């Protein structure tokens, strides 16, 4: 309730200070936040003592096999590829019940399976249905990396609130989100699923996602249980190769990879998913340090842990477990409560208990949090969804408005050299939309977005056609098809609808290429939509090269060579190698995978009905050879800024093409008047930092004001810069606002590899405030003993 009031107050402050720019504050913001606040006070909340008493009562009645069924998550369709060594899911449900079922997006099938569990299993324990509702169920929002580019946690919370409401309305009570893996290497295909490379921003977005999905620390009746994943270190895969081992020293875990997870735990996340890969030679799914020491003992996490898909069984493939029994033992004793899809617990835990290697007490302790979750969520009272009623939720027109606004706020203007953008309709008679993603629909949703029940998708072509109106002719040329030379293992999975573009003969591809160039020649403007299909940047979608693949670069250069103005719109899941475009294509908009309203949002931005305000949450390299590349690296004895030293490579500059935090607007901003509350503060004290941001252009716009710090010396080298605050500020032309930040213990501490603990050190600090991680506006202060 207090949170709600605070949020209302915050909102009304925003509304009054910006009321003169009313057009920039859609009514939808208010109307979507208020229902969210209500959802945070579940009227059915059951006191915790009763929750545990009920769970214990059930445990007393349950057989060992029934308990182990609660520790199992069954694949919801009997496809041999997915059931592998598991028993037939339906038989298990009827006989023993099941902790959870996953991969069933269809409401009627969920309902049917739930009826089996509740009506036919002996103790009538409902199933917890889980699905990858990562950024929407019917309404598909921008993919997580895109949404994080908004630097707008409030928006992220709203979006996940709607995603949760839609999912819960059809009986999905558990989402495998948020994905909190820090990603510093764009070769890794799953970068798109997270918030980027920064622990501070990652923590803010993590918190917002948990609050949105669950409605608060307790799962509200119209929300879903959140599941933070993949715990932990998955994004550090060697060479950016998905599933490969990660080697992350303990201090880097604490300082960089773990903060988003800790923020999620602090926000009350109810479940966690263990990662696939080896972390420092111990697979995350059998890693006691991660799952017990850090998660339960240090953070006091009270929810339950599910493995990633088949990851318990995979402990054998890792060369960590001798056989299925050993795999079950190692995962269970490390702290994995629930086995996702591999059936290993079902098969081997009974014997492990009979042999006395695992006690009944240990089993009860692992089942209890699962039962408690179901009790707290009210599943026993309300196991079934009200499907006719769900149609109202799924078709709420406000959801589409929010998806459009979220997409507008997620797209980053990387370049607008000639000021061609926003486009002036009165100067255009014909537009060529060119490129293999120009008419894409499912591909705008990204991998998980296509695996739920997405509604209609507006392609970029459609969005531009609708916006251009009848006075401007809009024609489309696809250009050569694009595809992965090595196919995705996810292409033929039934509930994911991802498809390659068909292979063409060289002649067909050449004709498509020539048609595209010809169209550009006879048009006033070419809007090129290039990038990656959804299965090119996803799970199992790492790349060694970040090029615009399959002749896309060549097509871009050929269209630019016509001399017609070119706007490049990128649809993709990671920074790509656009070194040539960054010099020769004056207008570049990064749209990421923008979701179902993506085409409308691209058109809104290109034609100036919305103003770009998103900023990079990952460092954009010049070439894939620079990866991993991240802004918060340490200083070296010879920095790039030293005289006579230009680069750490001799064939390319080692600096990024675009720095972390970068993003343009249709207006310009100036930052000045940096003030610190003191030049010296005692350890334990707080420094207030303020700076002015002014809109120096001729249009209204939103700046993302960022605060970075650097500790100059200490018990360890500290990053050259690290983000410790940010705020979105919307300003009319000529307007100015003072932004305030606080630097206290949370911002100044770090885990010291020499002290083996969290420290705040009496040292000299630098501070910068500005529009990206290269911000020049500088101040300094000292912490004293
Ligand atoms: C992915 C997880 C996902 C799970 C269930 C795995 O392959 O790594 O992120 O939640 O499948 O679909």
């Amino acid at each position: 309730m207090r949170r709600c009031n605070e949020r209302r107050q915050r909102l009304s402050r925003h509304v009054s200070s910006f009321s003169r720019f009313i057009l920039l504050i859609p009514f939808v913001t208010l109307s979507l936040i208020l229902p969210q606040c209500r959802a945070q006070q579940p009227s059915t909340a059951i006191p915790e003592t009763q929750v545990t008493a009920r769970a214990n009562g059930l445990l007393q009645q349950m057989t060992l096999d029934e308990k182990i069924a609660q520790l199992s998550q069954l694949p919801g369709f009997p496809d041999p590829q997915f059931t592998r060594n598991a028993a037939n899911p339906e038989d298990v449900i009827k006989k023993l019940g099941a902790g959870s079922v996953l991969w069933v997006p269809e409401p009627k099938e969920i309902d049917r399976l739930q009826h089996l569990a509740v009506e036919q299993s002996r103790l009538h324990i409902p199933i917890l249905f889980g699905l990858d509702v990562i950024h929407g169920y019917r309404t598909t929002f921008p993919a997580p990396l895109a949404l994080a580019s908004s630097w707008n946690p409030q928006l992220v919370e709203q979006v996940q609130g709607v995603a949760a409401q839609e999912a819960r309305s059809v009986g999905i009570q558990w989402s495998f989100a948020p994905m909190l893996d820090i990603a510093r290497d764009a070769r890794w295909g799953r970068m798109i699923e997270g918030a980027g490379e920064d622990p501070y921003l990652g923590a803010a977005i993590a918190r917002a996602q948990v609050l949105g999905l669950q409605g608060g620390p307790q799962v509200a009746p119209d929300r879903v249980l959140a599941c933070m994943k993949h715990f932990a270190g998955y994004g550090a895969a060697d060479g950016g190769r998905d599933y490969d081992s990660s080697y992350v020293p303990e201090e880097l875990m604490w300082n960089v990879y773990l903060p988003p997870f800790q923020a999620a735990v602090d926000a009350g996340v109810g479940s966690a998913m263990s990662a696939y890969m080896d972390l420092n030679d111990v697979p995350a799914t059998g890693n006691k340090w991660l799952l017990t020491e850090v998660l339960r003992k240090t953070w006091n996490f009270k929810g339950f842990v599910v493995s990633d898909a088949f990851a318990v069984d995979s402990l054998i493939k890792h060369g960590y477990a001798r056989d299925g029994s050993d795999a079950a033992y190692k995962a269970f004793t490390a702290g994995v409560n629930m086995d996702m899809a591999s059936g290993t617990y079902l098969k081997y835990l009974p014997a492990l208990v009979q042999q006395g290697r695992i006690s009944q007490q240990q089993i009860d302790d692992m089942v209890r949090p699962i039962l408690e979750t179901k009790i707290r969520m009210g599943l026993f009272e309300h196991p079934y969804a009200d499907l006719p009623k769900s149609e109202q939720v799924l078709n709420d027109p406000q959801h589409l408005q929010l998806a459009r606004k979220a997409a507008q706020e997620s797209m980053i203007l990387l370049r607008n050299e000639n000021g061609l953008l926003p486009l002036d309709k009165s100067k255009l008679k014909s537009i060529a939309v060119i490129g293999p993603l120009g008419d894409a629909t499912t591909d705008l949703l990204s991998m998980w977005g296509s695996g739920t029940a997405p509604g209609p998708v507006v392609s970029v072509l459609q969005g531009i056609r609708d916006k251009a109106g009848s006075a401007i002719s809009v024609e489309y040329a696809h250009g050569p098809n694009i595809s992965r030379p090595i196919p995705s293992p996810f292409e033929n999975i039934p509930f994911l609808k991802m498809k390659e573009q068909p292979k063409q003969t060289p002649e067909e591809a050449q004709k498509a290429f020539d048609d595209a160039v010809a169209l550009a020649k006879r048009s006033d403007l070419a809007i090129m939509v290039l990038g990656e299909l959804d299965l090119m940047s996803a799970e199992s979608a790492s790349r060694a090269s970040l090029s615009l693949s399959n002749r896309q670069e060549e097509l871009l250069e050929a269209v630019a060579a016509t001399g017609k103005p070119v706007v490049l719109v990128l649809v993709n899941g990671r920074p790509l190698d656009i070194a040539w475009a960054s010099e020769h294509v004056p207008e570049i908009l990064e749209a990421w995978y923008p979701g179902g309203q993506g085409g409308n949002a691209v058109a809104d931005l290109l034609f100036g009905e919305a103003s770009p305000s998103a900023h990079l949450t990952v460092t954009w390299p010049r070439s894939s050879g620079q990866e991993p590349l991240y802004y918060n690296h340490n200083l070296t004895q010879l920095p790039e800024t030293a005289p006579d030293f230009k680069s750490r490579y001799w064939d390319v500059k080692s600096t990024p093409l675009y720095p972390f935090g970068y993003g343009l607007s249709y207006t310009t901003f100036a930052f000045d008047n940096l003030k610190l509350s003191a030049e010296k503060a005692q350890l334990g004290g707080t420094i207030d930092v303020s700076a002015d941001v002014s809109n120096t252009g001729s249009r209204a716009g939103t700046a993302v004001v960022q605060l970075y710090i650097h500790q100059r010396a200490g018990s360890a080298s500290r990053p050259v810069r690290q983000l410790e605050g940010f705020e979105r500020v919307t300003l009319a032309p000529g307007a100015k606002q003072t932004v305030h930040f606080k630097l206290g213990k949370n911002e100044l501490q770090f885990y010291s590899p020499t002290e083996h603990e969290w420290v705040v050190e009496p040292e000299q600090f630098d501070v910068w405030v500005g529009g990206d991680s290269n911000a020049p506006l500088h101040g300094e202060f000292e912490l004293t003993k």
Side-chain angles (χ1 to χ4, degrees), residues 486-726:
I486 301 172
S488 165
F490 287 92
E491 197 182 346
N492 295 316
I493 290 189
F495 71 97
L496 298 172
K497 291 134 201 128
M498 301 192 299
K499 285 223 164 20
E500 291 279 8
Q501 296 184 348
K503 296 261 181 313
Q504 291 169 310
T505 62
E507 294 74 29
E508 285 167 341
Q510 189 57 45
K511 178 164 186 322
F513 189 101
D514 295 342
D515 288 350
V517 178
L519 175 61
K521 280 189 185 148
R522 60 173 191 271
S523 308
D524 294 341
L525 166 78
I527 298 176
M528 302 211 54
V529 192
L530 307 178
E532 299 175 296
L533 303 175
D534 54 4
L535 40 67
M536 290 176 167
S537 193
E539 186 175 343
S540 266
S542 292
R543 304 178 62 178
S545 145
L546 297 174
S547 64
L548 283 164
S549 69
N550 308 83
R551 298 188 72 188
Q552 291 184 91
E553 174 80 33
E554 197 187 332
L555 183 63
L556 177 64
E557 293 183 21
V559 169
T562 63
K564 292 297 169 79
V566 177
V567 176
L568 172 59
V569 176
L570 291 167
V571 170
N572 52 325
R574 52 154 77 88
L576 295 174
D577 181 345
I578 54 164
W580 185 88
S582 74
E583 285 180 21
H584 299 96
V585 180
E587 275 73 32
I588 307 177
L589 180 72
E590 172 53 79
W592 306 116
Y593 296 129
Q597 286 295 305
N600 282 334
V602 166
D604 292 339
L605 290 169
L606 294 185
F607 288 91
E609 281 175 33
S611 188
S613 60
H615 287 244
L616 286 171
T617 67
V618 287
T619 299
W620 196 295
R622 295 168 195 277
S623 107
S624 68
Q626 290 177 288
E627 296 289 351
L629 189 69
Y630 45 92
Y631 83 97
N632 47 358
H633 55 81
N634 287 355
L635 284 162
T636 68
Q637 97 272 11
L638 194 53
E640 279 97 348
T641 46
D644 301 331
F645 184 74
K646 299 277 175 279
S647 174
R648 319 203 80 71
Y649 301 110
W650 59 256
D651 55 351
V652 65
K653 281 191 192 162
S654 44
T655 52
L657 187 63
Y658 301 112
F660 174 86
Y662 170 85
L664 301 174
S665 158
Y666 288 151
T667 186
T668 46
F669 298 102
F671 303 87
D672 57 14
N673 202 20
L674 179 67
K675 285 189 189 142
L676 280 81
S677 56
E679 282 173 10
K680 285 182 197 258
Q682 283 221 302
L683 278 180
T686 301
I687 298 271
D688 295 324
V689 181
S690 67
D692 292 346
V693 51
S694 325
N695 182 342
T696 48
S698 54
R699 290 171 170 269
T702 300
V704 176
V705 186
Q706 302 159 41
L707 169 82
Y708 295 89
I709 64 163
H710 167 63
Q711 179 178 327
R712 287 197 196 157
S715 63
S717 299
R718 298 300 300 139
V720 55
R721 286 189 185 200
Q722 61 188 98
L723 182 74
E724 290 300 340
F726 64 89

Side-chain angles (χ1 to χ4, degrees), residues 73 102-103 131-132 134 176-177 179 190 193 229-230 234 243 273 276 307-310 340 447-448 490 495 539:
Q73 185 176 49
L102 86 163
W103 295 324
L131 192 72
D132 293 282
I134 307 297
F176 307 129
M179 194 279 221
R190 303 196 78 170
E193 296 180 51
K229 70 183 188 187
H230 306 84
Y234 188 24
Y243 312 133
M273 186 186 293
Y276 276 134
S307 74
D308 203 339
F310 311 108
M340 184 189 283
M447 170 169 157
W448 297 119
F490 287 92
F495 71 97
E539 186 175 343

Side-chain angles (χ1 to χ4, degrees), residues 38-110:
R38 279 201 299 274
Q40 289 179 14
Q41 309 148 42
S43 53
T44 53
I46 305 167
E48 270 308 291
T49 46
Q50 278 181 36
V51 171
T52 308
R54 270 178 78 178
N56 285 338
L58 274 169
L59 282 167
Q60 275 168 14
Q61 299 171 55
M62 289 166 85
T63 64
L64 177 62
D65 285 346
E66 284 169 339
K67 290 175 187 174
I68 293 170
Q70 289 300 313
L71 297 177
S72 302
Q73 185 176 49
L74 309 175
F77 51 95
D79 180 320
Q81 195 193 344
F82 289 94
T83 47
R84 295 199 191 163
N85 62 357
N88 181 309
E90 282 203 31
D91 293 347
V92 179
I93 293 169
K94 285 191 260 183
K95 206 165 134 212
L96 303 171
S100 175
V101 166
L102 86 163
W103 295 324
V104 188
E106 300 85 23
K108 286 201 174 119
E109 181 61 2
I110 293 172

